[in-house]
Amino acid sequence: MRYLEITVPEGRRQAVLNVLDAEGIEYVVSDETSASGADAVVRFPLPTRAVESVLDRLNEAGLDDARVVVINAETVISREFDELIDRYSQGGQRGERTSRQVLRTRADELTPTFSIYIVMLLISSVVATAGLLSDSPAVVVGSMVIAPLIGPALAANVGIVTGDDELRSTGFRYQVVGVAIVIAASIGIAVLARLGGLEPAGVDIVVVAELEERVSPNLLSLAVALGAGVAGILSLTRGFSEAIVGVMIAAALIPPAAAVGITAGWGMYGAAAGAFVLVVVNVLSINAAALVTLWVAGYRPQGLFEVSPTRKPTIRYATIFGIALLVLAAPLGGITLLEFQTTQLKSTADEEVAAVLEDPEYDDVREESVEVILDDDYPIRSIDRVVVRISGHDPGPEPELSDRIYERIAAHVDDPVVVEVQYVVAEQRDESSGDRVVVHTAPADR
């Protein structure tokens, strides 16, 4: 519920009261004498869903220059107010719906001043880069908490739908600058870390688990960003916690942007390109989901004649977001297909190796592991080889066994495949003698 206070310009008191009487709204009027030339102050409670339509009717009555203050109200005890709630509960929907006027204000409030925005993002990028380099999920989550990204993402789309050009341009400008700052800061930190010899994963930095999932993204990344955009708008329009949803939006942007900087700082430009595609896809997904959710929720500019001009830019931006997402989703689809093929090949290879070793001839041999290795050609990788590790007491590799394993696995693959069979030969002596276990590994490639 809301409590409104309207400072009525001189000579417009009756126009305000006529609108309120027509809506069946209880109000209190008090005379006002001030330097601004106000004639009266009118106060009245309203159901949240009624605020937008009542303010629109007041503006249609020529009261767009009146000062309106909207305050949250805990409760209103009144029979007439209960009837008003029922009247504005369209189709039994009694939930809150933030008015367009309040929505603009809240979106603007969630966008901090530019200097604070820059400082917070610099801190967030430092924390995110440190978390990714140290492979620490907890630190990465910490970087998301402090990133003020929810405001710009929501402000841009609120501005599009409601026809507020200033809010729209501010939101988009903040988003572009914010992503650029995180990437630039992460490159600087990564270069310093590399020069300082801080290489937690050796030369191939992307084997760090927190990085690997972001330099070769799949289609599931779209779901995360789309969900963040929808949740962000619902938090703004339905009164949910923006802080929690803000973490979700930051989760879709901060770690991938930091991954771009780290891989670029390590000179792995293919991996950096993969992470950058993920950043762009997530930005587009968040904005597309937010824009569609706002339009479906019924937010429009004030006045019948403003709806059509606003519909055009809304459709235009939605089309741009959609086409860009389709184009960028192609490599993500390729990566997703590769992951499916990799999983399927591993399962098939595992079954075929087990079938070969069922032969009584190999009773003393057992399977240790089967692994499908991908190449390092980021972001769209391909299968490099299949590594089969077996163990037994035979002192040397068995070419015939390697051939049989290769033939069984290759039969399920259309393209040529490299199958590497590693033999682990272990000799366990009497523990009392103090001898240690001796392991020999002999690879056999096909």
Side-chain angles (χ1 to χ4, degrees), residues 182-357:
V182 175
I183 292 175
S186 299
I187 290 176
I189 297 169
V191 170
L192 292 175
R194 190 178 182 188
L195 293 176
L198 302 177
E199 299 184 6
V203 177
D204 190 6
I205 190 67
V206 294
V207 301
V208 176
E210 286 292 317
L211 273 171
E212 189 173 16
E213 65 187 47
R214 293 179 172 93
V215 298
S216 189
N218 57 32
L219 285 174
L220 292 178
S221 306
L222 280 172
V224 175
L226 289 171
V230 173
I233 291 301
L234 291 179
S235 71
L236 198 63
T237 61
R238 302 293 176 176
F240 302 144
S241 173
E242 291 93 355
I244 296 176
V245 179
V247 173
M248 188 176 179
I249 291 178
L253 298 178
I254 294 296
V260 175
I262 292 172
T263 48
W266 248 260
M268 302 185 67
Y269 301 112
F276 185 72
V277 168
L278 178 59
V279 172
V280 176
V281 165
N282 285 350
V283 170
L284 291 171
S285 299
I286 290 170
N287 283 276
L291 184 60
V292 172
T293 303
L294 280 168
W295 189 263
V296 170
Y299 286 97
R300 305 289 188 275
Q302 176 196 340
L304 177 63
F305 298 104
E306 296 181 27
V307 173
S308 181
T310 306
R311 182 182 288 114
K312 292 179 181 178
T314 300
I315 295 174
R316 182 171 65 250
Y317 277 102
T319 302
I320 293 173
F321 293 155
I323 293 175
L325 279 174
L326 286 176
V327 172
L328 292 173
L332 269 63
I335 295 171
T336 304
L337 179 61
L338 174 63
E339 291 181 353
F340 173 76
Q341 293 173 340
T342 301
T343 302
Q344 189 176 44
L345 178 58
K346 183 182 184 304
S347 177
T348 300
D350 200 19
E351 293 175 358
E352 294 298 341
V353 171
V356 171
L357 296 182

Side-chain angles (χ1 to χ4, degrees), residues 126-183:
V126 171
V127 176
T129 305
L132 291 173
L133 287 174
S134 60
D135 198 19
S136 173
V139 177
V140 175
V141 170
S143 70
M144 305 171 193
V145 175
I146 60 179
L149 291 175
I150 183 173
L154 303 185
N157 296 284
V158 170
I160 293 172
V161 172
T162 62
D164 191 328
D165 293 337
E166 182 178 357
L167 192 61
R168 170 183 55 80
S169 60
T170 298
F172 281 131
R173 183 174 68 253
Y174 268 56
Q175 288 182 73
V176 173
V177 171
V179 170
I181 286 173
V182 175
I183 292 175

Side-chain angles (χ1 to χ4, degrees), residues 366-377:
R366 65 187 182 88
E367 176 188 339
E368 292 290 334
S369 64
V370 174
E371 186 178 4
V372 179
I373 306 297
L374 303 180
D375 60 27
D376 295 330
D377 191 13

Side-chain angles (χ1 to χ4, degrees), residues 1-3 46-48 51 71-76 81 85 96:
M1 290 172 291
R2 303 289 185 262
Y3 190 74
L46 273 182
T48 302
V51 173
I71 305 170
N72 288 332
E74 291 294 331
T75 186
V76 176
F81 188 77
I85 291 177
E96 292 190 354

